[in-house]
Amino acid sequence: MAGILAWFWNERFWLPHNVTWADLKNTEEATFPQAEDLYLAFPLAFCIFMVRLIFERFVAKPCAIALNIQANGPQIAPPNAILEKVFTAITKHPDEKRLEGLSKQLDWDVRSIQRWFRQRRNQEKPSTLTRFCESMWRFSFYLYVFTYGVRFLKKTPWLWNTRHCWYNYPYQPLTTDLHYYYILELSFYWSLMFSQFTDIKRKDFGIMFLHHLVSIFLITFSYVNNMARVGTLVLCLHDSADALLEAAKMANYAKFQKMCDLLFLMFAMVFITTRLGIFPLWVLNTTLFESWEIVGPYPSWWVFNLLLLLVQGLNCFWSYLIVKIACKAVSRGKAGKWNPLHVSKDDRSDIESSSDDEDSEPPGKNPHTATTTNGTSGTNGYLLTGSCSMDD
């Protein structure tokens, strides 16, 4: 074990030439980031998770009720033992051949069976009230952490001149505000890792799990080798659009359509400006070129910049998807609610419906008059059914 630890914490990988871990030990004159500081994130992540549960129950839920957001979920599928067995044991999306077989077995028309499976799938999805509470929690946290980041960074020299991220590196003391900012962000991502198993289930669970892992790795990596100054710039920049996205979701759930459209437009502008403009021209410029000039490259420097370039590639992809969904919404005369922090459809708002498949009375021999699915009327219906997604 000692040999493994010695290999993992090899100074020639983590630190610039002629710098050792002994040089970065805390003294009476200065405090530096220590790897063991990061253990604090685990109990804090649990505390954040508990605060979230309290917030959603005693703050978000009353707000949702005040906005007339109901806890009622989608229409319940009528009980049917045969269809339920197929749904739970075989498939939730029967193909045409199976539908025809079930139609003959039950003496139902195919459309009624399709309707039953659609209602049964929707039955497992969360209510609008649950989605609103989750979005309000995330909105509140993102707004707080972004506001704190801006207030902290405006007092620092590296916000105004990024070369200060590298002057006297790695002998840059760790301030209390910087330590709090880093541990808070890391704790929040750990809390997302925990809560993802109990949150609203999404089809992009694996992608989001990987996203959270990469975020945790980047925060931990930059803290351990004391790249925390430039790390704060990355964190604050990427937090800037998140609150707007969650606010747009809340407006959508409350059926404030014009506000939702405006907030989504603001979110798209901020997201694209910060991720495709400011991030590469400001942050990547300092991590790639200014740091090379002042400090010079070393192994962990290459890894850190490679990860940031990977993040930039994802930013380009997500920005493309935002523009695509926005153009589609404009062409239809409607504004689409879309979460760029996921890559697949967001189950939080995916209430399946179409103009060809209608929800109706319990299935019978003949199709019934078409009605709209819960929450999918008018423009707001498009927001619920036309959403794509991407967490922070």
Side-chain angles (χ1 to χ4, degrees):
M1 181 60 67
I4 294 175
L5 291 175
W7 169 82
F8 181 82
W9 294 111
N10 191 315
E11 294 164 341
R12 297 287 59 82
F13 171 80
W14 289 98
L15 302 173
H17 186 61
N18 290 331
V19 179
T20 66
W21 292 118
D23 298 330
L24 298 178
K25 289 294 183 182
N26 292 334
T27 65
E28 294 182 359
E29 292 78 20
T31 300
F32 299 103
Q34 306 295 315
E36 53 267 25
D37 297 344
L38 300 175
Y39 291 128
L40 182 61
F42 293 104
L44 285 179
F46 178 75
C47 291
I48 289 176
F49 180 69
M50 297 306 297
V51 169
R52 171 188 172 171
L53 296 180
I54 296 172
F55 178 90
E56 289 186 355
R57 179 168 184 176
F58 296 104
V59 179
K61 188 175 181 179
C63 290
I65 294 174
L67 292 170
N68 294 321
I69 297 175
Q70 302 299 320
N72 298 332
Q75 184 176 349
I76 304 299
N80 186 289
I82 296 175
L83 295 180
E84 184 67 25
K85 183 177 181 180
V86 174
F87 182 88
T88 56
I90 302 177
T91 179
K92 296 182 180 181
H93 298 271
D95 56 22
E96 184 176 350
K97 183 177 180 180
R98 190 176 299 277
L99 286 172
E100 291 177 355
L102 290 171
S103 176
K104 295 177 181 179
Q105 182 179 359
L106 297 172
D107 195 23
W108 287 7
D109 59 90
V110 172
R111 171 165 284 190
S112 295
I113 296 175
Q114 289 177 324
R115 185 182 305 115
W116 188 94
F117 274 92
R118 184 175 65 251
Q119 292 175 347
R120 184 63 182 83
R121 289 193 296 269
N122 291 337
Q123 189 175 316
E124 297 185 340
K125 295 176 182 178
S127 66
T128 303
L129 180 112
T130 302
R131 299 195 299 268
F132 180 90
C133 291
E134 181 184 274
S135 288
M136 187 171 181
W137 158 250
R138 293 186 181 230
F139 167 79
S140 302
F141 182 86
Y142 289 141
L143 182 62
Y144 167 74
V145 76
F146 176 67
T147 302
Y148 179 87
V150 170
R151 292 182 62 185
F152 162 66
L153 284 172
K154 72 178 183 180
K155 298 181 291 185
T156 63
W158 61 87
L159 175 66
W160 314 105
N161 182 359
T162 52
R163 297 177 72 87
H164 281 278
C165 291
W166 313 108
Y167 289 151
N168 197 37
Y169 177 84
Y171 306 106
Q172 297 168 341
L174 178 68
T175 65
T176 302
D177 288 341
L178 193 154
H179 178 259
Y180 171 76
Y181 188 32
Y182 246 72
I183 296 299
L184 180 64
E185 289 273 14
L186 182 60
S187 301
F188 179 69
Y189 277 105
W190 274 120
S191 74
L192 290 180
M193 288 286 288
F194 303 148
S195 64
Q196 194 172 18
F197 296 94
T198 58
D199 274 349
I200 298 166
K201 293 297 184 292
R202 303 177 181 86
K203 297 176 183 178
D204 57 350
F205 175 89
I207 295 173
M208 286 309 301
F209 187 80
L210 179 62
H211 169 267
H212 297 334
L213 279 179
V214 172
S215 300
I216 290 170
F217 183 74
L218 272 170
I219 294 173
T220 303
F221 192 90
S222 60
Y223 186 87
V224 168
N225 66 0
N226 205 13
M227 289 185 177
R229 289 188 176 185
V230 73
T232 57
L233 301 180
V234 176
L235 288 172
C236 191
L237 198 63
H238 282 75
D239 286 338
S240 58
D242 293 339
L244 290 171
L245 176 61
E246 299 302 332
K249 291 180 184 179
M250 290 191 295
N252 176 47
Y253 299 145
K255 298 183 180 180
F256 297 153
Q257 187 57 45
K258 292 184 178 180
M259 182 180 294
C260 176
D261 296 346
L262 176 61
L263 288 169
F264 176 79
L265 177 62
M266 293 171 60
F267 158 74
M269 293 175 61
V270 172
F271 186 94
I272 293 173
T273 300
T274 54
R275 308 293 177 96
L276 298 190
I278 299 176
F279 182 70
L281 297 178
W282 188 46
V283 175
L284 291 182
N285 176 68
T286 191
T287 60
L288 288 170
F289 303 111
E290 293 179 348
S291 63
W292 182 292
E293 176 187 343
I294 297 172
V295 179
Y298 52 98
S300 68
W301 179 93
W302 289 102
V303 174
F304 183 66
N305 278 288
L306 184 63
L307 290 171
L308 289 179
L309 289 173
L310 176 62
V311 169
Q312 179 58 18
L314 292 173
N315 288 340
C316 293
F317 176 69
W318 293 329
S319 297
Y320 161 74
L321 292 179
I322 291 176
V323 172
K324 183 179 179 180
I325 198 70
C327 290
K328 183 184 295 185
V330 170
S331 67
R332 297 184 182 185
K334 303 170 183 179
K337 176 188 72 63
W338 187 71
N339 183 346
L341 303 180
H342 304 178
V343 180
S344 62
K345 223 174 186 183
D346 185 353
D347 285 347
R348 279 175 289 185
S349 55
D350 180 23
I351 302 299
E352 295 173 316
S353 67
S354 70
S355 58
D356 297 323
D357 295 329
E358 63 279 329
D359 293 335
S360 64
E361 302 297 325
K365 287 188 176 182
N366 300 313
H368 300 76
T369 304
T371 60
T372 57
T373 303
N374 176 41
T376 56
S377 59
T379 304
N380 207 45
Y382 178 75
L383 290 170
L384 292 178
T385 60
S387 62
C388 299
S389 58
M390 161 188 151
D391 212 118
D392 239 258

